[in-house]
Amino acid sequence: MSPFILFGPMHVKTLLIIVCTSLFLPGLLKKSLTKNGINKFTKGLAVLLISNELFKPFYLTVLGDFKWSNTIPLHLCHISSYATGLYLITKNKKFFDFAYFWGLGGGCMALLTPDVEFGFPHIDFVSLFFGHGLLFFGIMYILKIYKPLITFHSLLNAWKYAFMMFPFIYIINLVVNIFADSNYQSNLWYLASPPGGASIMDLFPAIFQNPPMHILPSIIIGFLVFLFLYLPMYLINRGQS
């Protein structure tokens, strides 16, 4: 199996497919489908977003080099997929507040600097890009079809919900890793250690690349990413007022 090459031909092609599909398909669906058709597609997309994350631990442990301890579906992108699916079902904007900032922020980072060792068609590659690509598509679909209002309060909501979950996720990592094999440690939200592959964390000073010190600059960078994601929404809202 060939090793994964960051921004190699396969990586770039995969990114282009995800971006083009996510930016253009929602508009085509909106033009070509009836209201009933949109409703059916929306429900199907919601089920796919949620079920993919719930079933991922099963097919990763069967087809890949994973165990239960490092496939717990509670990473931020997993939760963002649940939130995206739940918004599509309920239209409760609190779900989309979380999905927009954490799904785009964390999801785009995962797509650009994926934590995978091998390229296509390895299950790690397929699973990561399908799941994060589907999340990216779901968010773009919602923005195009339902146009929820994203405000600075939405940003604060996304930050607040994550910090409410933060201690529980940290404790899950600690407890699971007591029983987990050293090669299959839980690293939800990358709180236990930085990602194994290339990532923005590689740019941190050496003192901040070791746990738990790596968490502090990650929080700062995360908030800066949120501000960057809020900027286009601020300009759109300002132009409409």
Side-chain angles (χ1 to χ4, degrees):
M1 190 68 65
S2 59
F4 173 77
I5 301 174
L6 188 66
F7 297 118
M10 182 54 68
H11 187 196
V12 172
K13 289 177 184 177
T14 304
L15 291 175
L16 287 174
I17 291 171
I18 291 171
V19 171
C20 291
T21 302
S22 301
L23 294 182
F24 297 112
L25 183 56
L28 292 175
L29 291 172
K30 187 175 183 179
K31 290 181 180 179
S32 60
L33 294 181
T34 63
K35 184 177 180 180
N36 185 51
I38 287 290
N39 289 338
K40 289 181 178 179
F41 185 89
T42 296
K43 291 178 181 177
L45 180 58
V47 170
L48 184 58
L49 279 159
I50 295 172
S51 61
N52 176 61
E53 301 303 339
L54 292 177
F55 284 104
K56 190 179 292 183
F58 298 98
Y59 66 73
L60 283 178
T61 52
V62 172
L63 301 175
D65 184 23
F66 292 88
K67 293 187 178 180
W68 68 272
S69 53
N70 64 339
T71 58
I72 301 170
L74 289 176
H75 264 299
L76 278 166
C77 288
H78 296 140
I79 299 173
S80 296
S81 292
Y82 304 145
T84 304
L86 288 171
Y87 173 81
L88 290 169
I89 294 170
T90 67
K91 306 305 184 294
N92 185 327
K93 188 174 166 294
K94 291 181 179 179
F95 289 122
F96 191 67
D97 288 346
F98 188 96
Y100 176 78
F101 288 100
W102 287 109
L104 280 187
C108 288
M109 193 67 69
L111 289 169
L112 292 173
T113 59
D115 186 11
V116 295
E117 184 178 356
F118 299 103
F120 182 84
H122 196 275
I123 187 62
D124 293 8
F125 183 98
V126 174
S127 173
L128 186 143
F129 282 98
F130 177 76
H132 290 86
L134 185 65
L135 172 59
F136 186 78
F137 173 80
I139 293 171
M140 293 300 106
Y141 177 83
I142 290 171
L143 289 173
K144 180 66 177 180
I145 303 298
Y146 297 103
K147 303 183 186 304
L149 182 66
I150 300 294
T151 65
F152 191 72
H153 186 66
S154 303
L155 185 157
L156 296 180
N157 274 342
W159 204 250
K160 176 182 68 177
Y161 301 146
F163 266 86
M164 289 169 63
M165 290 185 283
F166 181 97
F168 299 101
I169 300 298
Y170 192 82
I171 291 171
I172 289 174
N173 282 330
L174 292 177
V175 173
V176 168
N177 288 340
I178 293 174
F179 305 98
D181 185 285
S182 60
N183 294 322
Y184 301 92
Q185 295 279 289
S186 173
N187 194 17
L188 296 172
W189 296 24
Y190 296 110
L191 295 178
S193 63
S199 73
I200 196 170
M201 292 186 183
D202 296 337
L203 302 177
F204 296 168
I207 189 175
F208 291 117
Q209 292 194 20
N210 296 313
M213 294 298 293
H214 74 289
I215 295 175
L216 179 59
S218 300
I219 292 173
I220 296 171
I221 290 175
F223 195 77
L224 292 176
V225 170
F226 275 27
L227 291 176
F228 176 78
L229 291 172
Y230 171 63
L231 179 60
M233 295 301 167
Y234 169 77
L235 295 175
I236 292 172
N237 296 340
R238 187 178 179 182
Q240 294 176 346
S241 61

